[in-house]
mmCIF file of all heavy atoms in Angstrom:
data_model
loop_
_atom_site.group_PDB
_atom_site.id
_atom_site.type_symbol
_atom_site.label_atom_id
_atom_site.label_comp_id
_atom_site.label_asym_id
_atom_site.label_seq_id
_atom_site.Cartn_x
_atom_site.Cartn_y
_atom_site.Cartn_z
ATOM 1 N N LEU K 1363 -1.420 -10.764 21.477
ATOM 2 C CA LEU K 1363 -2.598 -9.905 21.500
ATOM 3 C C LEU K 1363 -2.813 -9.238 20.162
ATOM 4 O O LEU K 1363 -3.941 -9.167 19.650
ATOM 5 C CB LEU K 1363 -2.451 -8.864 22.608
ATOM 6 C CG LEU K 1363 -3.607 -7.853 22.745
ATOM 7 C CD1 LEU K 1363 -4.896 -8.595 23.074
ATOM 8 C CD2 LEU K 1363 -3.284 -6.825 23.829
ATOM 9 N N LEU K 1364 -1.713 -8.739 19.567
ATOM 10 C CA LEU K 1364 -1.817 -8.089 18.258
ATOM 11 C C LEU K 1364 -2.299 -9.071 17.196
ATOM 12 O O LEU K 1364 -3.104 -8.730 16.338
ATOM 13 C CB LEU K 1364 -0.458 -7.491 17.858
ATOM 14 C CG LEU K 1364 -0.049 -6.228 18.615
ATOM 15 C CD1 LEU K 1364 1.396 -5.857 18.277
ATOM 16 C CD2 LEU K 1364 -0.981 -5.066 18.256
ATOM 17 N N ARG K 1365 -1.789 -10.281 17.238
ATOM 18 C CA ARG K 1365 -2.233 -11.309 16.277
ATOM 19 C C ARG K 1365 -3.721 -11.572 16.434
ATOM 20 O O ARG K 1365 -4.448 -11.729 15.462
ATOM 21 C CB ARG K 1365 -1.446 -12.601 16.495
ATOM 22 C CG ARG K 1365 -0.032 -12.563 15.932
ATOM 23 C CD ARG K 1365 0.693 -13.851 16.234
ATOM 24 N NE ARG K 1365 2.027 -13.872 15.654
ATOM 25 C CZ ARG K 1365 2.944 -14.806 15.911
ATOM 26 N NH1 ARG K 1365 2.650 -15.800 16.736
ATOM 27 N NH2 ARG K 1365 4.120 -14.755 15.337
ATOM 28 N N PHE K 1366 -4.191 -11.616 17.682
ATOM 29 C CA PHE K 1366 -5.605 -11.856 17.939
ATOM 30 C C PHE K 1366 -6.454 -10.717 17.397
ATOM 31 O O PHE K 1366 -7.499 -10.935 16.782
ATOM 32 C CB PHE K 1366 -5.839 -12.016 19.444
ATOM 33 C CG PHE K 1366 -7.293 -12.124 19.820
ATOM 34 C CD1 PHE K 1366 -7.975 -13.321 19.630
ATOM 35 C CD2 PHE K 1366 -7.977 -11.030 20.332
ATOM 36 C CE1 PHE K 1366 -9.313 -13.430 19.965
ATOM 37 C CE2 PHE K 1366 -9.311 -11.133 20.657
ATOM 38 C CZ PHE K 1366 -9.976 -12.336 20.488
ATOM 39 N N ILE K 1367 -5.975 -9.469 17.605
ATOM 40 C CA ILE K 1367 -6.726 -8.305 17.133
ATOM 41 C C ILE K 1367 -6.814 -8.305 15.615
ATOM 42 O O ILE K 1367 -7.874 -8.100 15.033
ATOM 43 C CB ILE K 1367 -6.075 -6.998 17.632
ATOM 44 C CG1 ILE K 1367 -6.242 -6.880 19.149
ATOM 45 C CG2 ILE K 1367 -6.685 -5.785 16.941
ATOM 46 C CD1 ILE K 1367 -5.458 -5.746 19.768
ATOM 47 N N VAL K 1368 -5.683 -8.552 14.933
ATOM 48 C CA VAL K 1368 -5.660 -8.584 13.463
ATOM 49 C C VAL K 1368 -6.577 -9.663 12.936
ATOM 50 O O VAL K 1368 -7.365 -9.462 12.012
ATOM 51 C CB VAL K 1368 -4.220 -8.787 12.948
ATOM 52 C CG1 VAL K 1368 -4.226 -9.060 11.452
ATOM 53 C CG2 VAL K 1368 -3.374 -7.556 13.254
ATOM 54 N N LEU K 1369 -6.495 -10.863 13.549
ATOM 55 C CA LEU K 1369 -7.345 -11.973 13.114
ATOM 56 C C LEU K 1369 -8.817 -11.639 13.331
ATOM 57 O O LEU K 1369 -9.660 -11.899 12.480
ATOM 58 C CB LEU K 1369 -6.972 -13.245 13.883
ATOM 59 C CG LEU K 1369 -7.774 -14.506 13.557
ATOM 60 C CD1 LEU K 1369 -7.604 -14.862 12.091
ATOM 61 C CD2 LEU K 1369 -7.348 -15.656 14.453
ATOM 62 N N SER K 1370 -9.118 -11.011 14.491
ATOM 63 C CA SER K 1370 -10.504 -10.684 14.784
ATOM 64 C C SER K 1370 -11.051 -9.681 13.783
ATOM 65 O O SER K 1370 -12.186 -9.791 13.340
ATOM 66 C CB SER K 1370 -10.613 -10.117 16.205
ATOM 67 O OG SER K 1370 -10.211 -11.076 17.158
ATOM 68 N N GLU K 1371 -10.225 -8.687 13.405
ATOM 69 C CA GLU K 1371 -10.661 -7.694 12.425
ATOM 70 C C GLU K 1371 -10.905 -8.339 11.075
ATOM 71 O O GLU K 1371 -11.882 -8.035 10.381
ATOM 72 C CB GLU K 1371 -9.616 -6.589 12.302
ATOM 73 C CG GLU K 1371 -9.559 -5.672 13.510
ATOM 74 C CD GLU K 1371 -8.491 -4.612 13.386
ATOM 75 O OE1 GLU K 1371 -7.635 -4.720 12.489
ATOM 76 O OE2 GLU K 1371 -8.507 -3.674 14.204
ATOM 77 N N ALA K 1372 -10.019 -9.270 10.673
ATOM 78 C CA ALA K 1372 -10.184 -9.950 9.390
ATOM 79 C C ALA K 1372 -11.448 -10.783 9.390
ATOM 80 O O ALA K 1372 -12.213 -10.786 8.429
ATOM 81 C CB ALA K 1372 -8.965 -10.836 9.107
ATOM 82 N N GLU K 1373 -11.689 -11.502 10.509
ATOM 83 C CA GLU K 1373 -12.886 -12.327 10.583
ATOM 84 C C GLU K 1373 -14.150 -11.472 10.584
ATOM 85 O O GLU K 1373 -15.172 -11.844 10.017
ATOM 86 C CB GLU K 1373 -12.830 -13.196 11.842
ATOM 87 C CG GLU K 1373 -11.796 -14.320 11.741
ATOM 88 C CD GLU K 1373 -11.715 -15.137 13.004
ATOM 89 O OE1 GLU K 1373 -12.191 -14.651 14.053
ATOM 90 O OE2 GLU K 1373 -11.180 -16.243 12.964
ATOM 91 N N ALA K 1374 -14.047 -10.294 11.231
ATOM 92 C CA ALA K 1374 -15.220 -9.418 11.302
ATOM 93 C C ALA K 1374 -15.599 -8.868 9.938
ATOM 94 O O ALA K 1374 -16.763 -8.635 9.646
ATOM 95 C CB ALA K 1374 -14.950 -8.271 12.273
ATOM 96 N N SER K 1375 -14.584 -8.652 9.089
ATOM 97 C CA SER K 1375 -14.852 -8.068 7.776
ATOM 98 C C SER K 1375 -15.216 -9.123 6.738
ATOM 99 O O SER K 1375 -15.661 -8.798 5.648
ATOM 100 C CB SER K 1375 -13.625 -7.283 7.292
ATOM 101 O OG SER K 1375 -12.526 -8.153 7.095
ATOM 102 N N TYR K 1376 -14.996 -10.394 7.088
ATOM 103 C CA TYR K 1376 -15.235 -11.491 6.153
ATOM 104 C C TYR K 1376 -16.697 -11.904 6.238
ATOM 105 O O TYR K 1376 -17.225 -12.128 7.323
ATOM 106 C CB TYR K 1376 -14.322 -12.660 6.519
ATOM 107 C CG TYR K 1376 -14.464 -13.879 5.641
ATOM 108 C CD1 TYR K 1376 -13.711 -13.999 4.477
ATOM 109 C CD2 TYR K 1376 -15.322 -14.925 5.979
ATOM 110 C CE1 TYR K 1376 -13.815 -15.123 3.676
ATOM 111 C CE2 TYR K 1376 -15.426 -16.048 5.189
ATOM 112 C CZ TYR K 1376 -14.668 -16.141 4.044
ATOM 113 O OH TYR K 1376 -14.768 -17.260 3.254
ATOM 114 N N GLY K 1377 -17.361 -11.975 5.096
ATOM 115 C CA GLY K 1377 -18.768 -12.340 5.117
ATOM 116 C C GLY K 1377 -19.177 -13.061 3.860
ATOM 117 O O GLY K 1377 -18.437 -13.123 2.878
ATOM 118 N N ALA K 1378 -20.367 -13.604 3.898
ATOM 119 C CA ALA K 1378 -20.928 -14.280 2.733
ATOM 120 C C ALA K 1378 -22.344 -13.771 2.509
ATOM 121 O O ALA K 1378 -23.021 -13.331 3.443
ATOM 122 C CB ALA K 1378 -20.922 -15.793 2.926
ATOM 123 N N TYR K 1379 -22.784 -13.857 1.259
ATOM 124 C CA TYR K 1379 -24.063 -13.283 0.871
ATOM 125 C C TYR K 1379 -24.811 -14.234 -0.051
ATOM 126 O O TYR K 1379 -24.221 -14.837 -0.942
ATOM 127 C CB TYR K 1379 -23.851 -11.953 0.127
ATOM 128 C CG TYR K 1379 -23.050 -10.946 0.910
ATOM 129 C CD1 TYR K 1379 -21.659 -11.025 0.960
ATOM 130 C CD2 TYR K 1379 -23.668 -9.920 1.608
ATOM 131 C CE1 TYR K 1379 -20.910 -10.109 1.692
ATOM 132 C CE2 TYR K 1379 -22.936 -9.002 2.332
ATOM 133 C CZ TYR K 1379 -21.559 -9.106 2.378
ATOM 134 O OH TYR K 1379 -20.829 -8.207 3.104
ATOM 135 N N LYS K 1380 -26.093 -14.345 0.175
ATOM 136 C CA LYS K 1380 -26.969 -14.927 -0.828
ATOM 137 C C LYS K 1380 -27.547 -13.761 -1.618
ATOM 138 O O LYS K 1380 -27.247 -12.595 -1.321
ATOM 139 C CB LYS K 1380 -28.064 -15.769 -0.181
ATOM 140 C CG LYS K 1380 -28.984 -15.026 0.759
ATOM 141 C CD LYS K 1380 -30.001 -15.980 1.380
ATOM 142 C CE LYS K 1380 -30.928 -15.224 2.333
ATOM 143 N NZ LYS K 1380 -31.950 -16.125 2.922
ATOM 144 N N VAL K 1381 -28.361 -14.040 -2.631
ATOM 145 C CA VAL K 1381 -28.848 -12.947 -3.467
ATOM 146 C C VAL K 1381 -30.364 -12.988 -3.617
ATOM 147 O O VAL K 1381 -30.986 -14.045 -3.541
ATOM 148 C CB VAL K 1381 -28.199 -12.976 -4.872
ATOM 149 C CG1 VAL K 1381 -26.699 -12.790 -4.779
ATOM 150 C CG2 VAL K 1381 -28.548 -14.250 -5.623
ATOM 151 N N LYS K 1382 -30.912 -11.818 -3.813
ATOM 152 C CA LYS K 1382 -32.317 -11.658 -4.150
ATOM 153 C C LYS K 1382 -32.389 -11.116 -5.565
ATOM 154 O O LYS K 1382 -31.662 -10.178 -5.912
ATOM 155 C CB LYS K 1382 -32.985 -10.678 -3.189
ATOM 156 C CG LYS K 1382 -34.447 -10.379 -3.520
ATOM 157 C CD LYS K 1382 -35.036 -9.363 -2.544
ATOM 158 C CE LYS K 1382 -36.480 -9.044 -2.889
ATOM 159 N NZ LYS K 1382 -37.059 -8.039 -1.961
ATOM 160 N N VAL K 1383 -33.217 -11.706 -6.413
ATOM 161 C CA VAL K 1383 -33.362 -11.238 -7.797
ATOM 162 C C VAL K 1383 -34.303 -10.041 -7.817
ATOM 163 O O VAL K 1383 -35.456 -10.133 -7.383
ATOM 164 C CB VAL K 1383 -33.894 -12.364 -8.708
ATOM 165 C CG1 VAL K 1383 -34.160 -11.817 -10.115
ATOM 166 C CG2 VAL K 1383 -32.889 -13.516 -8.769
ATOM 167 N N ILE K 1384 -33.793 -8.923 -8.327
ATOM 168 C CA ILE K 1384 -34.580 -7.697 -8.434
ATOM 169 C C ILE K 1384 -35.277 -7.617 -9.789
ATOM 170 O O ILE K 1384 -36.444 -7.241 -9.889
ATOM 171 C CB ILE K 1384 -33.682 -6.456 -8.246
ATOM 172 C CG1 ILE K 1384 -32.945 -6.527 -6.904
ATOM 173 C CG2 ILE K 1384 -34.501 -5.172 -8.345
ATOM 174 C CD1 ILE K 1384 -33.840 -6.590 -5.698
ATOM 175 N N ASN K 1385 -34.553 -7.998 -10.847
ATOM 176 C CA ASN K 1385 -35.096 -7.983 -12.214
ATOM 177 C C ASN K 1385 -34.467 -9.094 -13.030
ATOM 178 O O ASN K 1385 -33.340 -9.538 -12.735
ATOM 179 C CB ASN K 1385 -34.827 -6.637 -12.907
ATOM 180 C CG ASN K 1385 -35.794 -5.550 -12.491
ATOM 181 O OD1 ASN K 1385 -37.007 -5.718 -12.611
ATOM 182 N ND2 ASN K 1385 -35.274 -4.441 -12.000
ATOM 183 N N GLU K 1386 -35.172 -9.517 -14.054
ATOM 184 C CA GLU K 1386 -34.627 -10.449 -15.040
ATOM 185 C C GLU K 1386 -34.730 -9.813 -16.422
ATOM 186 O O GLU K 1386 -35.742 -9.187 -16.744
ATOM 187 C CB GLU K 1386 -35.406 -11.765 -15.040
ATOM 188 C CG GLU K 1386 -35.335 -12.535 -13.748
ATOM 189 C CD GLU K 1386 -36.105 -13.850 -13.814
ATOM 190 O OE1 GLU K 1386 -36.492 -14.254 -14.944
ATOM 191 O OE2 GLU K 1386 -36.332 -14.462 -12.765
ATOM 192 N N PHE K 1387 -33.681 -9.988 -17.220
ATOM 193 C CA PHE K 1387 -33.658 -9.435 -18.570
ATOM 194 C C PHE K 1387 -33.265 -10.537 -19.548
ATOM 195 O O PHE K 1387 -32.502 -11.445 -19.208
ATOM 196 C CB PHE K 1387 -32.646 -8.285 -18.663
ATOM 197 C CG PHE K 1387 -32.895 -7.182 -17.661
ATOM 198 C CD1 PHE K 1387 -32.193 -7.138 -16.461
ATOM 199 C CD2 PHE K 1387 -33.827 -6.196 -17.913
ATOM 200 C CE1 PHE K 1387 -32.418 -6.142 -15.536
ATOM 201 C CE2 PHE K 1387 -34.063 -5.178 -16.999
ATOM 202 C CZ PHE K 1387 -33.354 -5.150 -15.809
ATOM 203 N N PRO K 1388 -33.777 -10.476 -20.783
ATOM 204 C CA PRO K 1388 -33.412 -11.507 -21.771
ATOM 205 C C PRO K 1388 -31.946 -11.415 -22.164
ATOM 206 O O PRO K 1388 -31.364 -10.326 -22.208
ATOM 207 C CB PRO K 1388 -34.327 -11.188 -22.957
ATOM 208 C CG PRO K 1388 -34.726 -9.758 -22.788
ATOM 209 C CD PRO K 1388 -34.749 -9.500 -21.321
ATOM 210 N N HIS K 1389 -31.366 -12.573 -22.431
ATOM 211 C CA HIS K 1389 -29.964 -12.663 -22.831
ATOM 212 C C HIS K 1389 -29.850 -13.713 -23.928
ATOM 213 O O HIS K 1389 -30.520 -14.751 -23.876
ATOM 214 C CB HIS K 1389 -29.093 -13.063 -21.634
ATOM 215 C CG HIS K 1389 -27.643 -13.196 -21.933
ATOM 216 N ND1 HIS K 1389 -26.961 -14.400 -21.844
ATOM 217 C CD2 HIS K 1389 -26.722 -12.274 -22.337
ATOM 218 C CE1 HIS K 1389 -25.686 -14.205 -22.148
ATOM 219 N NE2 HIS K 1389 -25.520 -12.935 -22.454
ATOM 220 N N ASP K 1390 -29.022 -13.433 -24.918
ATOM 221 C CA ASP K 1390 -28.830 -14.351 -26.039
ATOM 222 C C ASP K 1390 -28.343 -15.709 -25.527
ATOM 223 O O ASP K 1390 -27.225 -15.817 -25.019
ATOM 224 C CB ASP K 1390 -27.809 -13.743 -27.008
ATOM 225 C CG ASP K 1390 -27.526 -14.632 -28.204
ATOM 226 O OD1 ASP K 1390 -28.144 -15.716 -28.322
ATOM 227 O OD2 ASP K 1390 -26.661 -14.248 -29.033
ATOM 228 N N PRO K 1391 -29.147 -16.773 -25.652
ATOM 229 C CA PRO K 1391 -28.732 -18.076 -25.133
ATOM 230 C C PRO K 1391 -27.624 -18.729 -25.953
ATOM 231 O O PRO K 1391 -27.114 -19.780 -25.556
ATOM 232 C CB PRO K 1391 -30.028 -18.901 -25.198
ATOM 233 C CG PRO K 1391 -30.822 -18.268 -26.295
ATOM 234 C CD PRO K 1391 -30.503 -16.802 -26.231
ATOM 235 N N GLN K 1392 -27.238 -18.091 -27.059
ATOM 236 C CA GLN K 1392 -26.109 -18.581 -27.856
ATOM 237 C C GLN K 1392 -24.817 -17.824 -27.522
ATOM 238 O O GLN K 1392 -23.775 -18.111 -28.108
ATOM 239 C CB GLN K 1392 -26.419 -18.436 -29.351
ATOM 240 C CG GLN K 1392 -27.611 -19.245 -29.818
ATOM 241 C CD GLN K 1392 -27.434 -20.727 -29.561
ATOM 242 O OE1 GLN K 1392 -26.415 -21.317 -29.892
ATOM 243 N NE2 GLN K 1392 -28.443 -21.346 -28.952
ATOM 244 N N ALA K 1393 -24.915 -16.879 -26.603
ATOM 245 C CA ALA K 1393 -23.738 -16.073 -26.238
ATOM 246 C C ALA K 1393 -22.942 -16.793 -25.157
ATOM 247 O O ALA K 1393 -23.425 -16.984 -24.032
ATOM 248 C CB ALA K 1393 -24.170 -14.695 -25.758
ATOM 249 N N TYR K 1394 -21.731 -17.176 -25.491
ATOM 250 C CA TYR K 1394 -20.827 -17.843 -24.555
ATOM 251 C C TYR K 1394 -20.066 -16.752 -23.799
ATOM 252 O O TYR K 1394 -18.927 -16.423 -24.113
ATOM 253 C CB TYR K 1394 -19.878 -18.752 -25.338
ATOM 254 C CG TYR K 1394 -19.177 -19.812 -24.530
ATOM 255 C CD1 TYR K 1394 -19.837 -20.984 -24.166
ATOM 256 C CD2 TYR K 1394 -17.843 -19.658 -24.144
ATOM 257 C CE1 TYR K 1394 -19.186 -21.972 -23.445
ATOM 258 C CE2 TYR K 1394 -17.185 -20.634 -23.422
ATOM 259 C CZ TYR K 1394 -17.865 -21.786 -23.070
ATOM 260 O OH TYR K 1394 -17.221 -22.767 -22.353
ATOM 261 N N THR K 1395 -20.716 -16.188 -22.806
ATOM 262 C CA THR K 1395 -20.247 -14.956 -22.172
ATOM 263 C C THR K 1395 -18.893 -15.123 -21.494
ATOM 264 O O THR K 1395 -18.707 -15.997 -20.645
ATOM 265 C CB THR K 1395 -21.277 -14.473 -21.136
ATOM 266 O OG1 THR K 1395 -22.552 -14.348 -21.776
ATOM 267 C CG2 THR K 1395 -20.866 -13.141 -20.536
ATOM 268 N N GLN K 1396 -17.970 -14.242 -21.873
ATOM 269 C CA GLN K 1396 -16.624 -14.233 -21.303
ATOM 270 C C GLN K 1396 -16.313 -12.924 -20.591
ATOM 271 O O GLN K 1396 -15.452 -12.883 -19.716
ATOM 272 C CB GLN K 1396 -15.583 -14.471 -22.404
ATOM 273 C CG GLN K 1396 -15.754 -15.783 -23.150
ATOM 274 C CD GLN K 1396 -15.380 -16.969 -22.289
ATOM 275 O OE1 GLN K 1396 -16.068 -17.315 -21.331
ATOM 276 N NE2 GLN K 1396 -14.268 -17.597 -22.608
#
């Protein structure tokens, strides 16, 4: 039962997200961003 509860809590907190673009800003296309 405890294993089930722990697993259920982990699954409940696990999620995935797509994104919406709010703004776009210019960026140096020669910048190899690290």
